[in-house]
Amino acid sequence: MRGVIMHAPGDVRVEDRDDPTILEPTDAIVRLTASCICGSDLWPYRGAEPVDHAPMGHEYVGVVTEIGADVKNVKVGDFVVGSFWSSDNTCEICQAGYQSYCVHRTLMGTLGTQAEFARIPLADGTLVATPGQPDAELIPSLLAASDVLGTGWFAAVAAEAGPGKTVAVVGDGAVGLLGILAARELGAERIIAMSRHADRQALAREFGATDIVEERGEEGVARIKELTGGLGAHSVIEAVGTQEAMHQAIRATRAGGHVGFVGVSHDVSLDGLELFGAGIHLHGGAAPVRQYLPQLIQLIWDRRIDPGKVFDLTLPLEDAAEGYKAMDARRATKVLLTV
Amino acid sequence: MRGVIMHAPGDVRVEDRDDPTILEPTDAIVRLTASCICGSDLWPYRGAEPVDHAPMGHEYVGVVTEIGADVKNVKVGDFVVGSFWSSDNTCEICQAGYQSYCVHRTLMGTLGTQAEFARIPLADGTLVATPGQPDAELIPSLLAASDVLGTGWFAAVAAEAGPGKTVAVVGDGAVGLLGILAARELGAERIIAMSRHADRQALAREFGATDIVEERGEEGVARIKELTGGLGAHSVIEAVGTQEAMHQAIRATRAGGHVGFVGVSHDVSLDGLELFGAGIHLHGGAAPVRQYLPQLIQLIWDRRIDPGKVFDLTLPLEDAAEGYKAMDARRATKVLLTV
């Protein structure tokens, strides 16, 4: 099969890879309908994380072509969406809703879903079948559920977005934008998008943002305070992963408020005394997307949400390198790869 | 009046100070019945925080002797308990239950309650009157409510201690011990005290600890994991404030679990990627004791809890210096000063 390999930072190629096969009786093989490039794929692409001939991709939707002997919840022919962490969905951690920390988890990125096929470990606890074969127009949104929507949703839940709440969102990438959509779905009263890009501001408003703040860092914090009677937001979503973004999120949150952080941290260090002084709640990490998949698939199936709008560039898998370039240069927010 | 002044690290004296007077119409003057020395008073005593001729003390119970023109909720003659942060109890932050971050807060420590009298700002929103004049035997417990009990309670709430939960407590000082009591009152199933002092272990068990772990640091974490099927505790209370204690707390918590931290942070730095990888909830800071005072006073009044047991040394105010020495040398867990 064909699949993406990142040889080194900046060097992405589509090459022949071995077709995946069932290795464990709990595996399934999925023929991918679409995959995509994640903001987190840019860290190695930019040399901020080591990379050496790695298969890439951890977001996926497609059709089951083969199942292991123990797989019971999905069957050949099912159209499925899965999370970027595989999970058994039965351990104590999974049962508590933290499938991304399952005691048996595997990171899908190590398997590489920017490809024609993928082996999905723990298929029963990882994959969720859609109610039927989806219309083509639903594919982007279902693919978004696999990571960016699920991650934005978790960020909004972790930030305790809800009725009566003012939510601020740090980061206008796909996850931040879908954090806005999630905050709206969760009933937030006011949603402040922090963005200085006109196209992303427009999508933020479409997804439910009521206010836009263009300032960043301390100025951005001051602006959020100004908009919230000097107190800060009740809920802040951090969807970047840098020191500046994390500080911005923590400092823009009122005492007793909640920060939901989902940007993969890079060189972030938090001062204990600042946290003590802030009096906020801090929760985040790898989103337990599997927890939300049934609910998110239904919302998409019923056409109540359209998270697929974050894809502003669609390319065939063979042109994956061009997709990485476009996202790196911020010419695209999120690239969908058709397989 | 007589009151404690810390001239410099290690140099505590009881001296003549001006009697406090009403400065604002929202003030009250309280004749203190008892005060005490806080674990946090040891930071400047040990030179870990700057100190220069500072009045000391922020915990207090006593009788109102004078009120400002605007005070309505307490009257002269009332026996009152107050928090170590004054609060108006009406602002948005107070109403959300975070009175220790009130927009009009004052730190009582700057006023110094290790003394015969104290001026309490924002008396209406800070003081809570007991149902009547308390029996002498209740004084230590009511005094504990002013900070150590309220702080331990907040830590247990922040750690989401409750039915079915395993709670681990890092720190066997008065706050940690009362965090155990709070976790028991909140219905925790299993409470693991981390302590290597026989007398504190005994009190921990009396307050509700079901297990004792003597190991610290990584060994302590390994022991907690061993006791929790490899997963870590659901809830961990951090009641020390050092880097080691904070790491111990975070690493002993399972993914999706909760850390409640109330130790005043000293040179603590948290790595963003470790937090991302941990998937825990982190909440803490200055405890909003005022929120819990009515409930805690009632529990004490009804003799359902006896948090005053943390006081293992009682001295007259004049001997405050000896009290500091005893706590510094860990000869006493918590010192009560009679006025």
Side-chain angles (χ1 to χ4, degrees):
Chain A
M1 68 166 187
R2 302 288 286 170
V4 170
I5 300 287
M6 191 180 288
H7 281 239
D11 183 2
V12 167
R13 306 185 200 174
V14 180
E15 302 182 346
D16 286 328
R17 288 177 55 196
D18 289 340
D19 282 351
T21 55
I22 298 285
L23 299 181
E24 303 285 340
T26 47
D27 288 348
I29 304 296
V30 172
R31 186 182 68 241
L32 300 167
T33 304
S35 184
C36 53
I37 303 172
C38 182
S40 68
D41 293 335
L42 296 180
W43 292 106
Y45 188 80
R46 290 169 174 165
E49 277 176 16
V51 63
D52 180 16
H53 292 79
M56 297 297 293
H58 52 263
E59 299 157 283
Y60 56 100
V61 291
V63 177
V64 176
T65 57
E66 198 183 345
I67 58 173
D70 294 348
V71 175
K72 290 175 179 60
N73 298 346
V74 294
K75 57 185 192 304
V76 172
D78 278 354
F79 190 91
V80 292
V81 186
S83 161
F84 56 97
W85 279 105
S86 69
S87 54
D88 61 24
N89 211 25
T90 58
C91 78
E92 223 177 301
I93 301 294
C94 282
Q95 288 297 299
Y98 282 83
Q99 290 91 340
S100 44
Y101 295 89
C102 170
V103 298
H104 296 118
R105 67 179 179 171
T106 314
L107 189 56
M108 295 306 303
T110 59
L111 303 176
T113 62
Q114 290 164 8
E116 290 181 282
F117 291 89
R119 179 178 72 87
I120 311 297
L122 302 170
D124 272 348
T126 304
L127 299 173
V128 179
T130 55
Q133 296 299 317
D135 293 341
E137 73 193 58
L138 289 183
I139 301 291
S141 287
L142 291 168
L143 178 60
S146 178
D147 179 355
V148 278
L149 173 60
T151 295
W153 197 274
F154 169 60
V157 169
E160 299 213 348
K165 300 284 188 76
T166 293
V167 181
V169 181
V170 180
D172 62 359
V175 171
L177 291 167
L178 290 171
I180 292 169
L181 180 150
R184 183 196 65 194
E185 289 297 310
L186 293 167
E189 183 173 306
R190 189 178 189 188
I191 305 171
I192 308 169
M194 304 190 84
S195 170
R196 46 179 63 175
H197 300 86
D199 52 339
R200 298 181 183 208
Q201 290 175 2
L203 195 50
R205 287 203 184 272
E206 199 176 330
F207 281 159
T210 54
D211 301 80
I212 304 283
V213 164
E214 296 208 339
E215 292 85 349
R216 285 188 190 168
E218 291 310 310
E219 282 178 24
V221 170
R223 196 74 191 92
I224 299 288
K225 294 225 165 146
E226 217 178 285
L227 290 169
T228 53
L231 302 178
H234 300 94
S235 304
V236 179
I237 291 173
E238 191 284 334
V240 183
T242 61
Q243 182 78 61
E244 185 190 19
M246 199 68 158
H247 273 162
Q248 197 169 312
I250 290 170
R251 293 169 186 169
T253 307
R254 67 179 58 192
H258 294 75
V259 173
F261 69 98
V262 291
V264 181
S265 299
H266 282 76
D267 299 322
V268 172
S269 168
L270 302 179
D271 180 64
L273 196 55
E274 174 169 355
L275 276 183
F276 188 94
I280 56 151
H281 300 74
L282 189 61
H283 181 42
V289 174
R290 177 62 184 79
Q291 183 196 157
Y292 309 117
L293 275 181
Q295 179 187 4
L296 299 179
I297 289 172
Q298 199 61 52
L299 285 170
I300 293 164
W301 203 260
D302 297 342
R303 291 168 164 79
R304 284 189 40 205
I305 59 173
D306 194 358
K309 283 189 179 160
V310 293
F311 293 106
D312 51 0
L313 180 60
T314 296
L315 294 169
L317 176 64
E318 286 298 324
D319 295 344
E322 176 49 34
Y324 275 83
K325 264 187 217 159
M327 275 181 64
D328 178 40
R330 294 179 75 90
R331 278 186 283 113
T333 303
K334 182 89 181 160
V335 176
L336 185 143
L337 300 172
T338 54
V339 184
Chain B
M1 68 165 187
R2 301 289 285 170
V4 170
I5 300 288
M6 191 180 288
H7 282 238
D11 184 2
V12 167
R13 305 183 201 175
V14 179
E15 301 182 346
D16 287 328
R17 289 177 54 196
D18 290 339
D19 283 352
T21 55
I22 298 284
L23 299 181
E24 302 285 341
T26 48
D27 287 348
I29 305 296
V30 172
R31 187 182 68 242
L32 300 166
T33 304
S35 184
C36 53
I37 303 172
C38 183
S40 69
D41 293 334
L42 295 181
W43 293 108
Y45 188 79
R46 290 169 174 166
E49 277 176 16
V51 64
D52 180 16
H53 293 80
M56 297 297 293
H58 53 263
E59 299 158 282
Y60 56 100
V61 291
V63 177
V64 176
T65 57
E66 199 183 345
I67 57 173
D70 293 349
V71 175
K72 289 174 181 62
N73 298 345
V74 295
K75 57 185 191 303
V76 171
D78 278 355
F79 190 91
V80 291
V81 186
S83 162
F84 55 98
W85 280 104
S86 69
S87 54
D88 60 26
N89 211 23
T90 57
C91 77
E92 222 177 301
I93 301 294
C94 283
Q95 288 296 301
Y98 282 83
Q99 291 90 341
S100 43
Y101 295 89
C102 170
V103 297
H104 296 119
R105 68 179 179 171
T106 314
L107 189 56
M108 295 305 303
T110 58
L111 303 174
T113 62
Q114 290 164 8
E116 290 181 282
F117 291 89
R119 178 178 73 85
I120 311 296
L122 302 170
D124 271 348
T126 305
L127 299 173
V128 179
T130 55
Q133 296 298 316
D135 293 341
E137 72 193 61
L138 290 183
I139 301 291
S141 288
L142 291 168
L143 179 60
S146 178
D147 179 355
V148 277
L149 174 59
T151 295
W153 199 274
F154 169 61
V157 169
E160 299 213 348
K165 299 283 188 78
T166 293
V167 181
V169 181
V170 179
D172 62 359
V175 171
L177 290 166
L178 291 171
I180 292 169
L181 181 150
R184 183 196 64 195
E185 290 297 310
L186 293 167
E189 183 173 306
R190 189 179 190 187
I191 304 171
I192 308 169
M194 304 191 84
S195 170
R196 45 179 62 177
H197 299 88
D199 52 338
R200 298 181 182 207
Q201 290 176 2
L203 195 49
R205 286 203 184 273
E206 199 176 329
F207 282 158
T210 54
D211 301 80
I212 304 283
V213 164
E214 297 207 339
E215 292 85 348
R216 285 188 191 168
E218 290 310 311
E219 283 178 22
V221 170
R223 196 76 190 91
I224 299 288
K225 293 223 166 150
E226 217 177 286
L227 291 169
T228 53
L231 302 178
H234 300 94
S235 304
V236 179
I237 291 173
E238 192 285 333
V240 183
T242 61
Q243 182 78 61
E244 185 190 20
M246 200 68 156
H247 272 162
Q248 198 169 311
I250 290 170
R251 293 169 186 171
T253 307
R254 66 179 59 193
H258 293 76
V259 173
F261 70 98
V262 292
V264 182
S265 299
H266 283 75
D267 299 323
V268 171
S269 168
L270 301 179
D271 179 64
L273 196 56
E274 175 169 353
L275 276 183
F276 188 94
I280 57 150
H281 300 74
L282 189 60
H283 181 43
V289 175
R290 176 62 183 81
Q291 183 196 156
Y292 309 117
L293 276 180
Q295 179 186 3
L296 299 179
I297 289 172
Q298 199 60 52
L299 285 170
I300 293 164
W301 203 259
D302 296 342
R303 289 166 166 79
R304 284 188 42 204
I305 59 173
D306 193 358
K309 282 189 179 158
V310 293
F311 294 105
D312 51 0
L313 180 61
T314 297
L315 295 169
L317 176 63
E318 285 299 324
D319 296 344
E322 176 50 32
Y324 275 82
K325 265 186 215 158
M327 274 181 66
D328 178 41
R330 295 180 75 90
R331 278 186 283 113
T333 302
K334 182 90 180 159
V335 175
L336 185 144
L337 301 171
T338 54
V339 185

